Amino acid sequence: MRLDYLSIFPAYFDVLDISLVGKAAINGLVEIHAHDLRDWTHDRHRTVDDTPCGGGAGMVMKPDPWGEAFDEIIGTESDPSVHVIFPAPSGTPFTQSAAAELSSAQRIVFCCGRYEGIDHRVIDYARSMWTVHEVSLGDYVLNGGEVAALAITEAVVRLVPGFMGNPESLAEESFSAGQDGLLEYPLFTRPVSWRGLDVPEVLMSGHHGRIASWRRDESVRLTRERRPDLTDSDSSGIH
Ligand code: ADE
């Protein structure tokens, strides 16, 4: 899998070197390329923004540098196997199933906007050429797409076959199919007693049936309490 990042702050992606994603890059599982969008400007100030057409506050990212960057990084041919991601609060909510789908992509290009956003023709152009995803990380506003791109990267790359040492741990975590659409149950390890707090007795009983049923009850309780929206869906394990 090849990952490209287009940003006016490409140093954000230096942290990938110290993450497990960086290890996956060393092992040849992924290839990482961070680009400075200003490399495709031609004026003395390396300008990437301009005032919004129609007026309003803030600045909008100009289309020209994006277009030239696309030509050089992706090319000028249409190819639906190239996935281009625009993180934005106005995007579709990013989910575990979206991460799973992207984990089989050969090529993902992250376009990280700043200021009020990117000229919409950039997104329309990309959509006419490649597979575009406008993605939101949640109902809050970040200063730009970089942190969202890092989060999406981590969610996707850990699902790339060969990334996880023990793929069984993928099956049991929150939001995966193995959890029945429920949140993960609480975890404990030794010591059995710590600062007056004990590991639930059932987990030390060695009784697999009772342990499984305790974990399931805890998952249901937590999901009802914290994410009632998940219990409404047909795919939830609460009926
Ligand atoms: N850029 C700014 N805010 C964002 C959000 N909530 N999700 C994704 N990208 C963003």
Side-chain angles (χ1 to χ4, degrees):
M1 175 185 283
R2 173 174 165 151
L3 302 166
D4 288 272
Y5 302 87
L6 260 168
S7 161
I8 57 168
F9 297 119
Y12 261 95
F13 303 98
D14 291 351
V15 296
L16 290 173
D17 292 343
I18 56 167
S19 72
L20 285 172
V21 178
K23 206 172 134 199
I26 289 168
N27 293 337
L29 216 54
V30 298
E31 214 180 286
I32 296 167
H33 301 269
H35 312 272
D36 187 344
L37 184 69
R38 293 192 199 276
D39 289 349
W40 289 277
T41 59
H42 304 287
D43 63 312
R44 203 157 53 88
H45 300 290
R46 312 208 326 141
T47 311
V48 292
D49 61 335
D50 204 341
T51 53
C53 293
M59 299 293 272
V60 175
M61 295 191 98
K62 291 153 61 68
D64 328 56
W66 290 99
E68 289 187 33
F70 288 161
D71 293 350
E72 197 170 324
I73 294 168
I74 318 178
T76 53
E77 309 232 321
S78 169
D79 180 354
S81 78
V82 175
H83 292 261
V84 180
I85 299 184
F86 292 90
S90 57
T92 307
F94 186 62
T95 59
Q96 186 64 22
S97 60
E101 275 171 36
L102 284 167
S103 69
S104 58
Q106 282 306 300
R107 198 115 200 240
I108 304 177
V109 180
F110 291 91
C111 301
C112 304
R114 283 265 149 180
Y115 313 111
E116 299 308 308
I118 306 173
D119 185 306
H120 201 73
R121 289 168 294 177
V122 174
I123 298 159
D124 287 341
Y125 173 75
R127 209 185 286 288
S128 75
M129 301 286 281
W130 311 294
T131 302
V132 163
H133 310 265
E134 290 177 78
V135 175
S136 168
L137 230 55
D139 294 338
Y140 43 81
V141 180
L142 305 169
N143 286 332
E146 288 79 6
V147 169
L150 284 169
I152 295 166
T153 298
E154 193 154 304
V156 169
V157 171
R158 62 197 295 284
L159 300 180
V160 170
F163 176 85
M164 197 60 90
N166 172 17
E168 273 176 25
S169 58
L170 287 178
E172 282 196 16
E173 62 195 11
S174 300
F175 305 115
S176 62
Q179 270 296 108
D180 237 0
L182 302 175
L183 300 183
E184 195 177 36
Y185 47 79
L187 300 169
F188 300 88
T189 185
R190 279 171 289 270
V192 173
S193 192
W194 177 76
R195 298 193 177 190
L197 301 166
D198 294 341
V199 172
E201 235 174 75
V202 59
L203 299 181
M204 306 309 290
S205 69
H207 194 298
H208 297 304
R210 280 175 50 213
I211 291 170
S213 117
W214 180 87
R215 286 178 167 166
R216 164 129 196 125
D217 289 350
E218 284 295 293
S219 282
V220 170
R221 182 182 65 77
L222 285 173
T223 309
R224 284 203 171 117
E225 203 173 283
R226 297 177 181 173
R227 294 294 306 275
D229 56 308
L230 292 177
T231 67
D232 297 339
S233 77
D234 288 345
S235 58
S236 122
I238 305 178
H239 299 296

